[in-house]
Short mmCIF file of all heavy atoms in Angstrom, two decimals:
data_model
loop_
_atom_site.label_atom_id
_atom_site.label_comp_id
_atom_site.label_asym_id
_atom_site.label_seq_id
_atom_site.Cartn_x
_atom_site.Cartn_y
_atom_site.Cartn_z
N ASP A 22 -18.15 -4.16 3.57
CA ASP A 22 -17.83 -4.50 4.96
C ASP A 22 -19.11 -4.58 5.80
O ASP A 22 -19.28 -5.48 6.63
CB ASP A 22 -16.89 -3.46 5.57
CG ASP A 22 -15.43 -3.77 5.27
OD1 ASP A 22 -15.16 -4.85 4.73
OD2 ASP A 22 -14.57 -2.93 5.58
N PRO A 34 -30.88 -3.95 1.54
CA PRO A 34 -30.00 -3.49 0.47
C PRO A 34 -29.12 -2.35 0.98
O PRO A 34 -29.51 -1.60 1.89
CB PRO A 34 -30.97 -3.00 -0.61
CG PRO A 34 -32.23 -2.66 0.13
CD PRO A 34 -32.30 -3.62 1.28
N PHE A 48 -23.97 13.12 -11.05
CA PHE A 48 -24.95 12.04 -11.23
C PHE A 48 -25.57 12.11 -12.62
O PHE A 48 -26.13 13.14 -13.01
CB PHE A 48 -26.04 12.16 -10.17
CG PHE A 48 -27.13 11.12 -10.29
CD1 PHE A 48 -26.84 9.77 -10.19
CD2 PHE A 48 -28.45 11.51 -10.51
CE1 PHE A 48 -27.85 8.82 -10.31
CE2 PHE A 48 -29.46 10.56 -10.62
CZ PHE A 48 -29.15 9.22 -10.52
N PHE A 62 -25.52 -2.15 -3.98
CA PHE A 62 -25.53 -1.40 -5.23
C PHE A 62 -24.10 -0.98 -5.62
O PHE A 62 -23.23 -0.85 -4.75
CB PHE A 62 -26.37 -0.12 -5.10
CG PHE A 62 -27.85 -0.35 -5.13
CD1 PHE A 62 -28.54 -0.70 -3.98
CD2 PHE A 62 -28.56 -0.21 -6.31
CE1 PHE A 62 -29.92 -0.90 -4.00
CE2 PHE A 62 -29.94 -0.42 -6.35
CZ PHE A 62 -30.61 -0.76 -5.19
N VAL A 65 -22.80 5.20 -6.40
CA VAL A 65 -23.43 6.26 -7.18
C VAL A 65 -22.74 7.58 -6.84
O VAL A 65 -22.72 7.97 -5.67
CB VAL A 65 -24.93 6.35 -6.86
CG1 VAL A 65 -25.58 7.43 -7.72
CG2 VAL A 65 -25.61 5.01 -7.07
N PRO A 73 -30.12 14.92 -2.66
CA PRO A 73 -31.53 14.56 -2.40
C PRO A 73 -32.14 13.74 -3.53
O PRO A 73 -32.84 12.74 -3.29
CB PRO A 73 -32.22 15.92 -2.25
CG PRO A 73 -31.13 16.84 -1.83
CD PRO A 73 -29.90 16.37 -2.55
N VAL A 78 -33.88 8.36 -5.94
CA VAL A 78 -33.72 7.34 -6.98
C VAL A 78 -33.35 5.99 -6.36
O VAL A 78 -33.87 4.93 -6.73
CB VAL A 78 -32.66 7.78 -8.01
CG1 VAL A 78 -32.33 6.63 -8.97
CG2 VAL A 78 -33.15 9.00 -8.79
N ARG A 99 -23.77 -6.22 16.10
CA ARG A 99 -22.38 -6.68 16.19
C ARG A 99 -21.67 -6.54 14.85
O ARG A 99 -22.22 -6.86 13.80
CB ARG A 99 -22.34 -8.14 16.64
CG ARG A 99 -22.87 -8.36 18.04
CD ARG A 99 -22.55 -9.75 18.52
NE ARG A 99 -23.07 -10.79 17.61
CZ ARG A 99 -22.75 -12.07 17.69
NH1 ARG A 99 -21.90 -12.48 18.62
NH2 ARG A 99 -23.27 -12.96 16.86
N ILE A 139 -2.27 -21.77 24.48
CA ILE A 139 -0.83 -21.54 24.27
C ILE A 139 -0.27 -20.63 25.35
O ILE A 139 0.83 -20.86 25.88
CB ILE A 139 -0.58 -20.96 22.87
CG1 ILE A 139 -0.98 -21.97 21.79
CG2 ILE A 139 0.89 -20.57 22.70
CD1 ILE A 139 -0.96 -21.41 20.38
N GLY A 150 10.10 -23.41 35.25
CA GLY A 150 11.47 -23.49 34.74
C GLY A 150 11.65 -24.64 33.78
O GLY A 150 12.65 -25.36 33.82
N GLU A 151 10.66 -24.84 32.87
CA GLU A 151 10.67 -25.98 31.96
C GLU A 151 10.82 -25.53 30.50
O GLU A 151 10.65 -24.36 30.18
CB GLU A 151 9.37 -26.78 32.09
CG GLU A 151 9.17 -27.41 33.45
CD GLU A 151 7.82 -28.11 33.58
OE1 GLU A 151 6.95 -27.89 32.70
OE2 GLU A 151 7.64 -28.86 34.55
N ALA A 203 5.56 -1.88 7.18
CA ALA A 203 6.41 -0.70 6.99
C ALA A 203 5.63 0.43 6.31
O ALA A 203 5.70 1.59 6.72
CB ALA A 203 7.64 -1.06 6.17
N ARG A 237 18.18 -18.83 11.90
CA ARG A 237 19.04 -20.01 12.06
C ARG A 237 20.51 -19.65 11.84
O ARG A 237 21.39 -20.02 12.64
CB ARG A 237 18.60 -21.07 11.05
CG ARG A 237 19.46 -22.33 10.99
CD ARG A 237 19.29 -23.00 9.64
NE ARG A 237 19.76 -22.14 8.55
CZ ARG A 237 19.33 -22.25 7.28
NH1 ARG A 237 18.41 -23.14 6.97
NH2 ARG A 237 19.83 -21.45 6.36
N ASP A 243 26.46 -17.28 16.47
CA ASP A 243 26.42 -16.76 17.84
C ASP A 243 26.03 -17.89 18.79
O ASP A 243 24.91 -18.39 18.76
CB ASP A 243 25.40 -15.63 17.93
CG ASP A 243 25.43 -14.94 19.30
OD1 ASP A 243 26.06 -15.48 20.23
OD2 ASP A 243 24.79 -13.87 19.43
N ALA A 257 5.45 -24.79 10.44
CA ALA A 257 6.59 -25.54 10.97
C ALA A 257 6.81 -26.86 10.24
O ALA A 257 7.92 -27.41 10.27
CB ALA A 257 6.38 -25.81 12.46
N GLU A 264 18.91 -34.20 5.91
CA GLU A 264 19.64 -34.28 4.64
C GLU A 264 19.70 -32.92 3.95
O GLU A 264 20.77 -32.48 3.51
CB GLU A 264 18.96 -35.30 3.73
CG GLU A 264 19.66 -35.48 2.38
CD GLU A 264 18.90 -36.45 1.48
OE1 GLU A 264 17.79 -36.88 1.86
OE2 GLU A 264 19.42 -36.76 0.39
N GLN A 265 18.55 -32.23 3.87
CA GLN A 265 18.50 -30.94 3.20
C GLN A 265 19.32 -29.89 3.96
O GLN A 265 20.07 -29.11 3.37
CB GLN A 265 17.04 -30.47 3.09
CG GLN A 265 16.85 -29.11 2.43
CD GLN A 265 17.01 -29.14 0.92
OE1 GLN A 265 17.18 -30.22 0.35
NE2 GLN A 265 16.96 -27.99 0.30
N GLY A 318 6.68 -34.55 11.83
CA GLY A 318 7.30 -35.67 12.53
C GLY A 318 8.74 -35.41 12.93
O GLY A 318 9.21 -35.93 13.95
N HIS A 366 -6.15 -27.19 18.33
CA HIS A 366 -6.53 -27.38 16.93
C HIS A 366 -7.54 -26.32 16.51
O HIS A 366 -8.49 -26.03 17.24
CB HIS A 366 -7.16 -28.76 16.71
CG HIS A 366 -7.63 -28.98 15.29
ND1 HIS A 366 -6.76 -29.16 14.24
CD2 HIS A 366 -8.89 -29.01 14.75
CE1 HIS A 366 -7.45 -29.31 13.12
NE2 HIS A 366 -8.74 -29.21 13.39
N VAL A 369 -11.97 -24.51 12.10
CA VAL A 369 -12.88 -23.73 11.25
C VAL A 369 -12.09 -22.76 10.40
O VAL A 369 -11.28 -21.99 10.92
CB VAL A 369 -13.90 -22.96 12.11
CG1 VAL A 369 -14.84 -22.14 11.21
CG2 VAL A 369 -14.70 -23.91 12.99
N SER A 380 -12.28 -25.90 2.76
CA SER A 380 -11.09 -26.75 2.93
C SER A 380 -11.48 -28.22 2.98
O SER A 380 -10.76 -29.09 2.49
CB SER A 380 -10.31 -26.36 4.19
OG SER A 380 -11.12 -26.47 5.33
N PHE A 458 0.84 -8.74 -4.39
CA PHE A 458 -0.17 -8.70 -3.35
C PHE A 458 -0.52 -7.30 -2.85
O PHE A 458 -1.61 -7.11 -2.31
CB PHE A 458 0.28 -9.53 -2.14
CG PHE A 458 0.08 -11.01 -2.31
CD1 PHE A 458 1.15 -11.84 -2.57
CD2 PHE A 458 -1.18 -11.57 -2.22
CE1 PHE A 458 0.97 -13.20 -2.73
CE2 PHE A 458 -1.37 -12.93 -2.37
CZ PHE A 458 -0.30 -13.75 -2.64
N GLN A 481 1.32 -19.40 -0.77
CA GLN A 481 1.07 -20.12 0.49
C GLN A 481 1.14 -19.17 1.68
O GLN A 481 2.07 -18.38 1.81
CB GLN A 481 2.06 -21.27 0.69
CG GLN A 481 1.68 -22.18 1.86
CD GLN A 481 2.58 -23.39 1.98
OE1 GLN A 481 3.77 -23.30 1.78
NE2 GLN A 481 2.00 -24.53 2.33
N GLY A 482 0.15 -19.25 2.53
CA GLY A 482 0.09 -18.39 3.71
C GLY A 482 -0.60 -17.07 3.45
O GLY A 482 -0.93 -16.35 4.39
N ILE A 490 -7.71 -20.59 -10.70
CA ILE A 490 -6.74 -21.68 -10.65
C ILE A 490 -6.70 -22.32 -12.03
O ILE A 490 -7.72 -22.82 -12.53
CB ILE A 490 -7.11 -22.74 -9.59
CG1 ILE A 490 -7.09 -22.12 -8.19
CG2 ILE A 490 -6.15 -23.92 -9.66
CD1 ILE A 490 -8.42 -21.66 -7.70
N LEU A 525 3.23 -32.59 -4.82
CA LEU A 525 2.42 -32.13 -5.96
C LEU A 525 0.94 -32.05 -5.58
O LEU A 525 0.24 -31.08 -5.92
CB LEU A 525 2.61 -33.08 -7.15
CG LEU A 525 2.08 -32.63 -8.50
CD1 LEU A 525 2.51 -31.22 -8.84
CD2 LEU A 525 2.56 -33.60 -9.59
#
Side-chain angles (χ1 to χ4, degrees):
D22 274 352
F48 178 61
F62 284 85
V65 182
V78 171
R99 295 191 304 169
I139 295 172
E151 296 176 347
R237 175 203 64 204
D243 186 348
E264 181 183 6
Q265 179 77 4
H366 178 72
V369 180
S380 59
F458 281 105
Q481 190 174 39
I490 297 96
L525 192 49

